[in-house]
């Protein structure tokens, strides 16, 4: 069957969404995702079975093949038949390296199910937890695949009993992770009413475990040797051979079940001490006997043993084939014939993973939380029905997860059908969107609407009308043009390069809402500046950066204040790939690249709380601002609800139809403030005076107003309306503000004149009444003026939060309290700009009055090394300010795993240094962990004798503090002034003059 015919059949199958399975491969790096993908691809005859695991078919890039790691998520459509029914399986292979976790987000968003691979020797690793959490948040159903089991029989050489307990521990650890995710959601309230339909099923899974071999969602496999099985495979075989009930065996072949040979019964009680479980006797020992033949030195005896086993199993393996193969390959051939992995994985994908019709019933509340906000009731009903049922006849709803550069697809005959952009051509013509259609049909030439990520129903300025230029089946290394796609399909769409930057929603109607944006596991913490060596190539570099920004989901491209182009990436490997792509593929110019720069944050700790008083340039407004440290409970709650807060700041529809996520976010934030209330008036601040959040209106910095006679447009107003179920809350918020506002200090009464002491002053009452009237009029004028200046005050706060005073890095966890506002102005007039700059200056001054601290990003570093290089690993980590968290021996091997917290600023070159120091016996893996506040004042100078007595005045490294060194490095890079002593020791210059 040729490629065109295969594509035509796949397209026909995909028209029925119940026959479609969209799934991805998730795992830690080097746990076997790409090898397993090759095995599945070989089942369709795309590559030879003998080349599975060697060709790495879905690694299309040259550097992927060289480094042997996956960097881009790739997909291929496969065909599989089960019980005479044909299915279309869209396989997406995702990277395991933490630097490319954005590609994992892309793969998970387009999938309904996933195979979670875990190395049988390494067990559950750091990135395993990260990708499983990503799948859990996207409501993607997972099947556990314990890979590389062959190593337990060969390299580790464990007996079946020990192997069973190692496998059981992996399953238990995976279930513990799932339990942690559910417990965290229940604590924070993120499990909302949208989950009520699955409550019974969820409770059942909590009691019995998510991954359970008896359910069929755990596959034991060796992707290199090409074999795999579930306990049901052995249950069927033994039920047929021994006459036992299949259902009973399925449950008994995992867990503490034993075989009483005397009574011929399966019992829970061991028949004797140290008895092996039934799984060991009937499953693992049988596989162990096959691998034991590898130790037979006599080749003739080894072949005879294998032939005897194949005859007993009824397998057709030719004797001459076994004689030609090496012992390892001969065993692999027997195991592949006995337990073929490709068929097992394909069958599991069909039977255990949900179809789009099943998955979209519970995924839509996560993917489109704003669905209730559609104002037109008919459009809302039709859109919801079409999405939840995956209706091919519904309104077309497509999510474009990323833009795929087709130049990376190596030369296939079909690639010529795609228009490729020339170097000077119009941007976007060489990009194909990697997308999934959730409802409706899409045909070439159809008119559709591209919805901006911030689009809300009824906003025509965030909608672009486009024409579908081309549609493709994504076939790994090539593209197959197709005339149309139906609901449930994963496909490629061309002709939208001008309208789509990174991701977008494509709809058949402009009145619907878009899909929520993807959440990335890691943040862009490494920055580099790029400039062309030849100034004449500046335009080509700018054009290349725009293409790179489109091709990579996570890279961020910006222009600094001094005109340099800045690229922000997720890690060292990610940065290296982006620079190579920019230089060799997109810009094609010689460039100058700076050293990696790390993003930092600025914060304060409670020290003295000295307020800052600032005046506008015309001296008509005076603000008194004080800086506080925000409690960690509040910071963590804000970080955990950034999506809801971002939606809140953009939300301008009827509160009565507010999404449940926003209601939950409001409740969680209020609870966090209440928990932190023992440390200050945080709950009061939240309810009455929370003016704004920053930076970018959804960060961990807060602007609070406690000044008397000032009614602010509090963020709580929106939350109050959500919690009140849509009731008007401005009056409630103003009431709370009045209750929380401190009372104005009472002035002492003025002494009366002696002559008027006894006589009643008839004019006193009138004067006092006029004074009250004037005060009331002044207060109203002040309130009205501040309402007019509200946007300027918030804008000044945002400017201050975006660039802190220490090194122009964003602030984090700082609360600015406006304690007093005085004004003599009658109207806003020209005050807007002055107030904005004054508030910015006041916040920066209040920040500098407190205990200043620098916050740096931290990696969780996991290093696997041999015992012989234990000291060398610790030596390398000690030089990089690492904190050792754990040191775990790896069971069954002479190796250990060191888990440490590693500052991102110290991570550059770690892999190379470890490789040199340990002769290649140590391998590090890093994943972004958290932000850490360096507990040292950057501007602290040791001056007293007690502070200097233990220091050598010639040792500059001991005297210089770490945060100041980092601050000066950032300031120097940004062109900011640096207060440092350039010359440490100076000697008088001597000049000699020649005698006359």
């Amino acid at each position: 069957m040729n490629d065109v015919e295969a594509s035509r059949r796949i397209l026909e199958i995909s028209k029925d969404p119940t026959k479609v399975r969209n799934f991805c491969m998730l795992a830690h790096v080097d746990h076997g995702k790409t090898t397993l993908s090759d095995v599945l691809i070989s089942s369709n005859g795309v590559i030879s079975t003998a080349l599975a695991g060697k060709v790495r078919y879905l690694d299309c890039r040259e550097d992927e093949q060289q480094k042997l790691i996956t960097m881009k998520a790739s997909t291929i459509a496969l065909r599989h038949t089960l019980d005479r029914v044909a299915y279309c399986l869209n396989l997406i292979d995702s990277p395991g390296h933490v630097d490319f976790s954005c590609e994992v987000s892309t793969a998970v968003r387009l999938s309904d199910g996933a195979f979670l691979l875990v190395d049988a020797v390494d067990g559950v690793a750091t990135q395993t937890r990260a990708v499983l959490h990503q799948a859990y948040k996207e409501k993607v159903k997972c099947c556990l695949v314990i890979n590389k089991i062959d190593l337990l029989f060969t390299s580790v050489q464990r007996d079946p009993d020990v192997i069973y307990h190692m496998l059981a521990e992996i399953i238990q650890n995976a279930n513990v992770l799932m339990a942690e995710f559910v417990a965290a959601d229940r604590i924070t309230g993120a499990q909302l009413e949208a989950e009520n339909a699955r409550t019974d099923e969820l409770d059942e899974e909590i009691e019995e475990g998510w991954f359970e071999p008896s359910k069929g969602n755990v596959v034991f496999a060796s992707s290199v040797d090409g074999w795999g099985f579930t306990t049901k495979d052995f249950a069927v075989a033994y039920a047929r051979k021994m006459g036992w009930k299949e259902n009973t065996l399925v449950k008994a072949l995992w867990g503490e079940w034993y075989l009483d040979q005397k009574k011929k019964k399966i019992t829970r009680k061991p028949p004797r001490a140290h008895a092996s479980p039934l799984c060991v006797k009937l499953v693992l020992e049988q596989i162990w006997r096959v691998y034991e033949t590898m130790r037979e030195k006599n080749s003739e005896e080894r072949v005879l043993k294998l032939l005897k086993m194949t005859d007993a199993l009824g397998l057709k393996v030719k004797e001459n084939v076994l004689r030609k193969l090496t012992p390892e390959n001969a065993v692999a051939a027997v195991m592949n014939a006995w337990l073929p992995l490709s068929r097992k994985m394909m069958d599991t994908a069909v039977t255990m993973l949900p179809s789009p019709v099943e998955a979209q019933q519970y995924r839509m509340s996560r993917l489109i939380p704003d669905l209730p906000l559609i104002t037109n009731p008919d459009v809302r009903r039709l859109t919801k029905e079409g999405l939840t049922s995956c209706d091919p006849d519904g309104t077309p709803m497509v999510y474009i997860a990323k833009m795929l550069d087709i130049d990376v697809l190596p030369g296939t005959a079909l690639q010529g059908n795609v228009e490729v952009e020339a170097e000077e051509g119009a941007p976007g013509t060489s990009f194909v969107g990697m997308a999934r259609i959730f409802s409706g049909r899409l045909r070439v030439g159809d008119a559709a609407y591209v919805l901006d990520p911030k689009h809300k129903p009824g906003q025509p300025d965030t909608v672009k009308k486009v024409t579908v230029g081309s549609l493709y089946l994504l076939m790994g290394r090539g593209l197959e043009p197709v005339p149309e796609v139906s609901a449930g399909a994963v496909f490629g769409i061309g002709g939208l390069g001008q309208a789509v930057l990174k991701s977008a929603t494509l709809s058949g109607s402009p009145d619907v809402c878009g899909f929520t944006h993807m959440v990335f596991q890691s943040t862009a913490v490494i920055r580099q500046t790029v400039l062309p060596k030849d100034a004449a190539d500046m335009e080509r570099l700018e054009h290349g950066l725009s293409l790179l920004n489109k091709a990579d989901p996570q890279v961020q491209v910006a222009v600094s204040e001094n005109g340099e182009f800045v690229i922000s990436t997720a890690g060292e490997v990610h940065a290296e790939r982006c620079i190579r792509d920019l230089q060799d593929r997109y810009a094609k110019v010689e460039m100058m690249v700076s050293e990696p720069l790390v993003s930092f944050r600025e914060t304060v700790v409670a020290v003295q709380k000295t307020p800052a008083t600032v005046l506008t340039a015309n001296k008509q407004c005076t603000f008194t601002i004080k800086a506080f440290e925000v409690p960690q409970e509040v910071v963590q709650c804000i970080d955990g609800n950034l999506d809801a807060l971002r939606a809140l700041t953009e939300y301008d529809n009827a509160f009565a139809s507010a999404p449940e996520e926003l209601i939950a976010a409001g409740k969680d934030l209020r609870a966090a403030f209440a928990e932190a209330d023992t440390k200050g008036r945080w709950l009061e601040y939240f309810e009455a005076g929370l003016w704004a959040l920053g930076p970018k209106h959804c960060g961990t910095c807060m602007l609070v107003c406690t000044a008397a006679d000032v009614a602010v447009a509090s963020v709580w107003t929106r939350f109050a309306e959500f919690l009140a179920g849509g009731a008007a809350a401005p009056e409630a918020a103003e009431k709370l503000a009045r209750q929380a506002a401190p009372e104005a200090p009472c002035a002492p009464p003025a002494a009366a004149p002696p002559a008027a002491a006894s006589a009643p002053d008839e004019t006193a009452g009138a004067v006092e009444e006029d004074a009250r009237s004037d005060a009331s009029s002044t207060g109203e004028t002040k309130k009205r003026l501040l309402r007019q200046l509200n946007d300027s005050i918030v804008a000044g706060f945002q400017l201050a939060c975006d660039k802190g005073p220490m090194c122009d890095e964003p602030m984090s966890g700082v609360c600015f309290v406006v304690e007093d506002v005085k004004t003599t102005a009658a109207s806003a007039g020209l005050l807007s700009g002055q107030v904005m700059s004054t508030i910015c200056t006041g916040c920066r001054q209040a920040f500098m009055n407190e205990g200043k601290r620098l916050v740096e990003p931290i990696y969780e570093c996991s290093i696997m090394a041999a015992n012989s290089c234990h000291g060398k690993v610790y030596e390398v980590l000690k030089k990089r300010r690492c904190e050792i968290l754990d040191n775990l021996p790896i069971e069954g091997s002479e190796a250990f795993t060191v888990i440490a917290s590693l500052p991102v600023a110290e991570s550059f070159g770690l892999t190379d240094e470890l490789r040199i120091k340990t002769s290649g016996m140590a391998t590090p893996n890093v994943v972004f962990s958290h932000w850490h506040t360096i507990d040292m004042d950057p501007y602290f100078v040791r001056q007293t004798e007690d502070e200097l007595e233990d220091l050598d005045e010639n040792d500059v490294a001991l005297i210089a503090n770490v945060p100041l060194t980092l601050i000066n490095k950032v300031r120097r890079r940004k062109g900011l002034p640096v207060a440092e002593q350039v010359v440490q020791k100076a000697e008088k210059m001597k000049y000699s003059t020649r005698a006359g």
Side-chain angles (χ1 to χ4, degrees):
M1 184 187 304
N2 57 34
D3 293 339
V4 176
E5 180 64 20
S7 301
R8 187 189 64 80
R9 292 193 177 186
I10 290 175
L11 183 62
E12 288 297 322
I13 297 171
S14 64
K15 291 182 179 180
D16 183 0
T18 61
K19 304 296 189 298
V20 176
R21 299 293 185 272
N22 300 316
F23 65 96
C24 59
M25 297 290 184
L26 302 177
H28 188 74
V29 64
D30 292 333
H31 278 202
K33 299 179 303 301
T34 304
T35 302
L36 182 57
S37 298
D38 277 0
V39 173
L40 300 186
I41 294 171
S42 66
S43 67
N44 275 222
V46 179
I47 60 175
S48 170
T49 304
L51 295 178
K54 301 179 180 64
V55 68
R56 302 176 66 88
Y57 186 77
L58 292 181
D59 286 350
C60 303
R61 297 170 54 95
E62 182 180 352
D63 49 1
E64 288 179 320
Q65 295 287 345
Q66 292 175 351
K67 292 180 176 292
L68 299 180
I69 61 172
T70 302
M71 299 182 182
K72 286 282 189 179
S74 303
T75 182
I76 184 171
L78 303 173
R79 183 174 178 268
H80 180 61
T81 302
L82 178 64
D83 297 333
R84 298 183 179 180
V85 179
Y87 293 88
C88 171
L89 277 62
N90 293 308
L91 163 65
I92 306 176
D93 185 24
S94 65
H97 197 286
V98 63
D99 282 10
F100 309 108
S101 57
C102 59
E103 300 287 341
V104 177
S105 302
T106 298
V108 170
R109 172 56 62 91
L110 300 179
S111 303
D112 297 317
F115 284 127
L116 178 69
L117 276 72
V118 177
D119 192 311
V121 179
D122 297 346
V124 176
T126 52
Q127 193 64 7
T128 308
R129 176 192 178 96
V131 297
L132 182 59
H133 191 205
Q134 185 76 12
Y136 174 78
K137 290 191 295 185
E138 291 279 346
K139 298 184 180 180
V140 170
K141 185 177 181 180
C142 293
C143 286
L144 180 64
V145 180
I146 304 180
N147 195 23
K148 302 185 181 182
I149 294 183
D150 59 298
L151 297 180
L152 301 179
F153 297 100
T154 57
S155 300
V156 181
Q157 295 183 0
R158 292 303 179 192
D159 58 68
D161 282 287
V162 176
I163 291 174
Y164 169 78
H165 289 291
M166 294 176 68
L167 299 177
E169 183 179 1
I170 291 175
I171 297 174
Q172 181 182 3
N173 291 339
N175 284 326
V176 166
L177 292 180
M178 292 295 295
E180 289 179 1
F181 301 154
V182 173
D185 273 357
R186 286 182 170 178
I187 291 173
T188 59
Q191 291 289 351
L192 305 169
E193 294 181 1
E195 289 284 356
N196 288 345
R198 301 180 66 233
T199 301
D200 297 337
E201 178 185 348
L202 184 63
D203 293 339
E204 181 181 351
E205 290 181 352
I206 292 173
E207 294 176 1
E208 300 182 6
W210 287 266
F211 302 114
E212 185 67 33
S214 60
K215 294 180 179 180
N217 61 1
V218 178
V219 181
F220 305 91
S222 169
S223 56
V224 172
D225 289 348
W227 59 267
F229 67 92
T230 61
T231 55
K232 185 177 180 180
D233 299 328
F234 283 87
V236 172
Y238 282 111
R240 187 185 305 114
K241 179 180 179 180
M242 306 178 70
W244 290 341
K245 293 182 180 180
E246 181 181 323
N247 293 336
T248 303
L249 274 176
V250 168
K251 296 180 180 179
L253 280 179
W254 191 262
E256 300 301 320
W257 293 91
Y258 302 89
L259 176 63
D260 190 338
Q261 295 182 351
K262 293 182 179 180
K263 299 181 180 179
K264 303 295 181 182
K265 290 178 58 180
I266 298 175
T267 63
R268 279 284 193 181
K269 184 178 180 181
R272 63 184 183 281
H274 306 294
S276 299
L278 193 63
C279 178
V280 175
K281 287 292 184 182
L282 300 185
V283 180
L284 297 179
E285 284 188 0
Q286 313 308 317
I287 301 174
W288 180 77
R289 289 192 180 97
V290 178
Y291 275 92
E292 276 294 295
T293 61
M294 294 173 54
R295 301 182 183 181
E296 180 62 54
K297 297 181 179 179
N298 190 323
S299 60
E300 186 67 25
E301 289 292 330
R302 181 177 62 252
V303 172
L304 290 177
K305 288 182 179 180
L306 289 176
L307 288 174
K308 185 178 179 179
M309 292 178 181
T310 56
D311 292 340
L313 294 172
L315 305 178
K316 295 180 180 180
V317 182
K318 295 181 180 180
E319 180 178 350
N320 61 339
V321 174
L322 294 178
R323 293 185 184 277
K324 293 179 181 179
L325 297 175
T326 62
E328 294 80 5
N329 292 337
V331 169
V334 173
M335 293 298 299
N336 180 262
W338 180 21
L339 303 169
L341 178 60
S342 58
R343 172 158 290 278
K344 172 47 57 181
M345 295 301 298
M346 299 288 243
D347 290 348
T348 304
V350 171
T351 57
M352 300 306 302
L353 299 182
S355 68
V357 177
E358 299 170 359
Q360 289 181 199
Q361 294 179 12
Y362 56 84
R363 288 193 70 198
M364 284 302 104
S365 61
R366 169 65 181 90
L367 299 182
I368 311 184
D370 292 342
L371 197 60
L373 304 184
I374 300 177
T375 54
N376 190 318
D378 294 333
V379 174
R380 181 171 62 247
R381 178 180 55 82
L382 293 175
T383 303
K384 183 176 181 180
E385 291 176 355
L387 287 171
T388 54
S389 62
C390 192
D391 185 7
D393 298 323
T395 302
M397 289 291 292
V398 178
Y399 183 73
I400 303 173
K402 71 171 185 175
M403 301 301 290
L404 177 65
D405 180 8
I406 64 170
D407 290 341
V408 303
L409 303 179
T412 62
L414 297 172
Q415 191 175 341
N417 296 333
V418 183
E419 183 183 358
V420 181
E421 175 195 4
E423 184 178 330
E424 294 82 16
T429 55
S430 66
F431 288 94
V432 171
M434 186 174 175
R436 171 175 169 179
I437 180 168
F438 287 85
S439 66
R441 286 187 178 88
L442 204 62
R443 299 177 178 86
V444 176
D446 282 355
Y449 299 90
V450 175
L451 309 182
D452 189 84
K454 297 182 179 181
H455 169 74
K456 300 295 179 183
Q459 297 179 351
D461 55 330
T462 56
V463 178
K464 298 178 183 178
K465 189 173 182 179
V466 297
T467 301
V468 178
S470 53
L471 299 172
Y472 305 95
L473 279 183
L474 300 174
M475 302 300 292
R477 298 193 173 192
L479 304 173
E480 284 282 357
V482 293
E484 68 173 31
V485 291
S486 298
V490 175
F491 64 100
I493 181 170
L496 303 182
Q498 301 282 357
V500 179
L501 178 59
K502 291 178 180 288
S503 61
T505 300
L506 188 70
S507 174
S509 170
D511 299 326
V512 300
C513 52
F515 289 83
T516 184
H517 68 281
M518 294 181 293
V519 179
F520 298 146
Q521 302 170 17
S522 59
T523 57
V525 295
I526 295 179
R527 294 173 296 170
Q528 289 179 286
T529 60
V530 292
L531 288 173
K533 289 186 177 181
D534 187 353
D537 295 330
M538 184 65 75
E539 290 186 4
R540 295 179 63 184
L541 176 60
E542 186 176 359
H543 175 64
L545 286 169
S546 65
L547 296 180
L548 175 66
N549 191 38
K550 183 186 294 290
D552 194 291
Q554 192 167 13
V555 71
Q556 299 175 8
V557 178
V559 180
S560 64
E561 293 181 352
N562 54 3
E564 295 178 321
F565 293 109
V566 180
I567 300 177
S568 301
T569 55
E572 193 173 3
V573 182
H574 187 207
E576 179 184 347
R577 191 202 70 187
C578 290
I579 295 298
R580 186 187 300 111
D581 285 351
L582 183 61
Q583 188 165 358
D584 300 339
R585 189 187 307 277
Y586 299 125
K588 296 183 180 180
V589 297
E590 294 186 3
M591 300 183 306
M592 296 181 295
V593 184
S594 70
E595 295 182 358
L597 307 174
V598 181
S599 299
F600 294 94
R601 300 288 184 268
E602 302 181 21
T603 190
V604 298
V605 294
V607 178
Q608 55 186 357
K609 299 181 178 63
T610 303
T613 302
V614 289
L615 289 80
T616 55
N618 59 9
K619 303 188 184 303
Q620 292 185 353
C621 289
T622 304
F623 299 92
T624 301
I625 305 174
K626 186 182 291 185
F628 289 84
E629 176 188 8
V630 178
Q632 283 301 310
E633 297 88 350
V634 179
V635 172
Q636 293 173 4
C637 183
I638 293 176
D639 283 335
N641 293 281
L642 285 180
D643 290 343
L645 287 172
R646 189 176 292 108
L648 175 70
T649 58
E650 302 166 358
Y651 184 79
D652 57 359
N653 287 273
F655 289 105
S657 59
E660 295 291 336
E661 283 81 357
L662 298 186
I663 298 177
K667 293 180 179 178
D668 291 343
L669 278 174
R670 192 182 190 283
F673 274 84
E675 184 177 353
D677 202 35
T678 57
K679 303 177 183 179
R681 299 164 58 187
W682 295 102
L683 181 60
E684 185 178 300
Y685 289 164
F686 178 68
E687 292 185 339
L690 183 56
W691 209 332
L693 297 173
K696 299 180 180 178
H697 301 279
C698 59
T700 57
C701 294
M702 297 184 293
L703 180 64
V704 173
C705 181
T706 61
D709 298 330
V710 177
V712 302
S714 174
V715 175
W716 170 251
T717 301
R718 292 174 177 264
F719 280 127
E721 297 203 17
F722 291 154
L723 301 180
E731 296 82 0
E734 187 174 353
K735 180 180 179 181
L736 288 169
R738 289 196 302 268
Q739 294 174 355
E743 295 182 1
C746 297
S758 57
D761 190 354
E762 297 180 358
T763 63
V767 171
E768 184 177 354
E769 183 67 25
D770 292 341
R772 284 197 297 266
S773 177
D774 293 341
S776 176
S777 176
T778 303
E780 291 299 326
T781 302
K782 181 179 179 181
K783 289 182 180 181
R784 176 172 48 80
L785 178 65
L786 291 178
R787 281 196 297 267
Q788 296 173 355
L789 296 174
N790 179 78
D791 292 343
S792 299
I793 294 173
V794 173
F797 163 72
Q798 298 294 340
L799 287 175
C801 292
D802 190 53
K803 292 185 177 181
M806 292 196 295
C807 54
D808 275 6
E809 292 292 300
M811 295 185 189
S812 174
V814 184
C815 176
F816 294 102
V817 179
V818 181
E819 294 186 333
D820 189 23
V821 179
K822 297 178 181 178
T823 179
T824 59
S827 63
L830 302 177
L831 275 178
S832 298
Q834 296 183 26
V835 167
M836 180 166 46
S837 60
T838 301
I839 290 294
C840 179
T841 302
C843 290
R844 293 168 69 95
Q845 288 183 9
F847 181 97
M848 295 300 290
N849 288 341
E850 299 305 312
K852 303 160 287 295
R853 294 294 185 269
L854 190 68
V855 185
E856 64 176 347
I858 299 294
Y859 283 143
E860 181 179 312
C861 179
S862 175
I863 302 176
M864 184 180 299
N867 286 329
S868 59
C869 56
H870 194 281
K872 296 178 181 178
V873 171
Y874 272 64
E875 179 186 353
V876 173
L877 295 179
K878 183 180 178 181
K879 295 189 302 183
R880 296 174 178 268
R881 297 192 291 118
C882 289
E883 179 184 355
I884 306 299
L885 303 177
D886 210 343
N887 189 344
L888 304 173
I890 300 177
E891 186 177 355
S893 65
E894 296 182 357
F896 66 96
T897 300
V898 175
I899 300 176
S901 60
L902 170 68
V904 175
E906 305 289 345
S907 65
F908 306 112
L910 175 65
T911 302
D912 294 336
E913 186 176 2
L914 280 174
R915 187 183 297 116
I916 294 172
K917 291 283 187 180
T918 64
S919 300
M921 291 188 292
T923 304
N925 289 299
V926 297
V927 59
F928 179 77
S929 176
H930 63 282
W931 291 88
H932 171 69
T933 302
I934 303 177
D935 192 15
M936 183 183 298
D937 189 346
Y939 303 103
F940 173 70
V941 179
R942 296 178 176 88
Q943 295 178 343
T944 65
E945 293 183 359
D946 293 339
E947 295 168 348
L948 296 173
E949 62 181 1
D950 296 330
L951 297 178
D952 182 1
E953 62 180 4
N954 295 321
D955 193 346
V956 180
L958 289 177
I959 297 178
N961 63 37
V962 173
L964 182 59
T965 302
L966 297 174
I967 288 174
N968 287 340
K969 187 176 181 180
V970 175
R971 292 183 67 89
R972 194 178 297 109
R973 180 67 193 85
K974 294 182 176 182
L976 301 174
V978 178
E980 62 178 353
Q981 184 178 355
V982 179
V983 180
Q984 298 295 334
K985 291 185 178 181
E987 295 182 0
K988 184 177 180 180
M989 301 292 292
K990 296 182 180 180
Y991 298 92
S992 61
T993 58
R994 190 169 54 183

